Amino acid sequence: MARIMRIVRTCPEAASEVLELMFLVSQIEAATGVDREYRDAKRVISRLRNPLWEMGPTDREKLLAAAETIRRVCRLAEDEIPPAPLADAGERARVEGRLAAALAGEFDAAQIARITGIVAAALQN
């Protein structure tokens, strides 16, 4: 949380977007319990660069400025940022592992794989 507050202080014009994004992420985590690592800075940066909804150029610039601020504050190299929030290696495997644990005994492996694909697609978009 301290890092988020530093980011907000550094880029105050993007404060509401960053805080809203963090709130939405925490709601998704609480609701699904699937991906506890979604708050990882790399995914937040990627999500800011690839918003879930269309927006105007001014709003888009604010999100990109926030993403760049997070990248700088976290000292991340550009090549460490996934092109899409779920594009990093192993993300689907982590989601599938969590779903398999949560749904053990209720669904077979093929059904869990299909559910994983749906969840991954929903999180991606």
Side-chain angles (χ1 to χ4, degrees):
M1 189 51 84
R3 230 180 222 174
I4 294 297
M5 295 314 295
R6 275 190 302 185
I7 292 163
V8 169
R9 282 192 299 272
T10 304
C11 190
E13 61 276 3
S16 64
E17 288 86 354
V18 171
L19 294 175
E20 181 179 354
L21 179 67
M22 295 308 295
F23 176 70
L24 291 172
V25 167
S26 66
Q27 283 185 316
I28 291 167
E29 284 181 342
T32 64
V34 171
D35 184 10
R36 295 284 179 210
E37 296 174 3
Y38 194 77
R39 284 186 188 220
D40 183 77
K42 295 174 188 173
R43 287 189 201 88
V44 171
I45 293 167
S46 186
R47 179 51 67 205
L48 287 169
R49 290 178 177 177
N50 301 284
L52 296 170
W53 53 90
E54 293 298 319
M55 55 186 56
T58 304
D59 293 327
R60 186 87 171 103
E61 287 173 20
K62 288 179 183 178
L63 291 184
L64 292 174
E68 180 57 22
T69 301
I70 294 168
R71 190 190 67 73
R72 275 195 335 266
V73 168
C74 296
R75 297 183 188 109
L76 294 168
E78 187 60 39
D79 63 351
E80 293 180 85
I81 310 302
L86 295 177
D88 63 327
E91 186 62 31
R92 183 183 168 98
R94 283 190 291 273
V95 170
E96 189 164 14
R98 287 289 182 90
L99 283 170
L103 302 173
E106 295 182 47
F107 296 100
D108 63 31
Q111 291 171 317
I112 291 174
R114 284 198 349 242
I115 294 168
T116 300
I118 293 166
V119 169
L123 291 173
Q124 181 69 37
N125 293 324

